[in-house]
Amino acid sequence: MGNLWIGRPGSMTEIDQAAKSFDRSSDLGVSEFKSLGGRVTVTRNQSPVRRLKLAWDLLAPAHARALDRIARGIDGSGPVFVVDPAAGNFLGLDQAAGVGVAGATDITGLAQWFRTSTTGTLAESTTAAGTFTFTAADATSTLAWRCVNTLGNFPVAPGMSVSFRAPTAIAALGTCHVGLDYKKADGSYLSSAGADGPVVTGTAPTGAAYVTPVARPGTAGAYSVAGACLTYGGTPEDGLAGEGLPPMSVTGYSDTPGHPLPYRNFSIDLVEVSSAAG
């Protein structure tokens, strides 16, 4: 398990001090209605909203200053990303399971993945609606994963450790190759880390703001995309449920002098927002 990282892509801050309290409960949006007859009807949000509440005692001054700048939006407005050390798989829930909305070509379906090669085909199964497969035409066919909450790449910061495991069906191949394509703040290619086999681990280089995980079966055939795993500072596991990496906004914070100075007692509250522009 790694440390908590927070901030905007390319300028995320690593907080290596354990929080005194860390509440990561989702807001289920559950409402109850009780009829005159005593029966209860329950409604809930289709997609629970994630909330984070973090607090530290005697936080190091450099970390407190970084969190203060994020909370007050000193370095720009808009949401931030939080790499939660308690999360095991930062791919989206459906994305990790290789499923999506039947017939959808946007980020709820087919657009969760894309090709980085000239060969290969990504398509929805004709026999199991909402299930997606990648067909490798030859040894060069390569599939990549999008960050589903931003319609783009996964945010990183220089020095951050990232690991990726290929989907179960591709990982079982002796010919498979996996990689991490690092990109600059403008989305342009920077460098790559790669490995033969199902798992790759790399450290984000200087200038990196994003990363795109990729997998190459190395053998022609049709493969389910279920079972992939992307982690920050951890060990990727086969078939682990995805938790995603949603953009978040700060809804409140407190910053009080600690004893002794210059340490500070700091807390920050965040909520998941609908998009990276929200």
Side-chain angles (χ1 to χ4, degrees):
M1 181 180 294
N3 294 323
L4 181 143
W5 290 76
I6 182 171
R8 295 176 179 83
S11 60
M12 301 177 77
T13 297
E14 182 181 20
I15 309 294
D16 56 8
Q17 180 176 330
K20 174 187 69 173
S21 63
F22 189 168
D23 186 344
R24 61 194 301 269
S25 305
S26 294
D27 182 357
L28 300 180
V30 174
S31 300
E32 293 186 18
F33 173 76
K34 188 173 184 179
S35 70
L36 293 176
R39 299 186 65 84
V40 175
T41 300
V42 173
T43 60
R44 60 174 292 171
N45 291 339
Q46 185 175 3
S47 299
V49 175
R50 194 168 316 177
R51 293 184 183 274
L52 293 178
K53 297 181 179 181
L54 301 127
W56 293 265
D57 281 343
L58 301 180
L59 185 63
H63 290 159
R65 286 193 295 269
L67 290 174
D68 177 72
R69 296 182 71 91
I70 291 170
R72 293 195 289 143
I74 292 175
D75 299 314
S77 60
V80 299
F81 290 87
V82 180
V83 173
D84 178 355
N89 187 356
F90 288 89
L91 297 179
L93 178 63
D94 286 351
Q95 188 179 42
V99 299
V101 176
T105 58
D106 61 8
I107 205 65
T108 65
L110 199 65
Q112 295 175 89
W113 309 270
F114 64 99
R115 291 182 314 165
T116 60
S117 58
T118 57
T119 63
T121 305
L122 177 68
E124 184 176 351
S125 172
T126 56
T127 58
T131 299
F132 297 87
T133 59
F134 179 64
T135 301
D138 53 41
T140 67
S141 300
T142 306
L143 180 68
W145 279 252
R146 280 192 173 93
C147 186
V148 298
N149 293 294
T150 63
L151 295 178
N153 307 292
F154 293 85
V156 296
M160 182 183 286
S161 176
V162 183
S163 298
F164 176 67
R165 181 181 179 86
T168 305
I170 296 177
L173 301 171
T175 54
C176 88
H177 179 93
V178 285
L180 298 166
D181 291 343
Y182 294 105
K183 298 173 181 178
K184 302 175 185 177
D186 62 2
S188 61
Y189 176 80
L190 180 63
S191 64
S192 294
D196 292 327
V199 178
V200 60
T201 297
T203 300
T206 300
Y210 298 101
V211 67
T212 298
V214 299
R216 186 173 69 234
T219 299
Y223 307 98
S224 165
V225 293
C229 183
L230 177 72
T231 67
Y232 292 80
T235 301
E237 300 180 34
D238 179 35
L240 192 65
E243 297 190 44
L245 186 56
M248 309 194 84
S249 287
V250 177
T251 58
Y253 82 110
S254 66
D255 181 6
T256 59
H259 181 73
L261 289 171
Y263 294 96
R264 288 147 69 174
N265 300 325
F266 202 100
S267 68
I268 188 169
D269 298 344
L270 304 105
V271 64
E272 179 180 351
V273 292
S274 59
S275 71

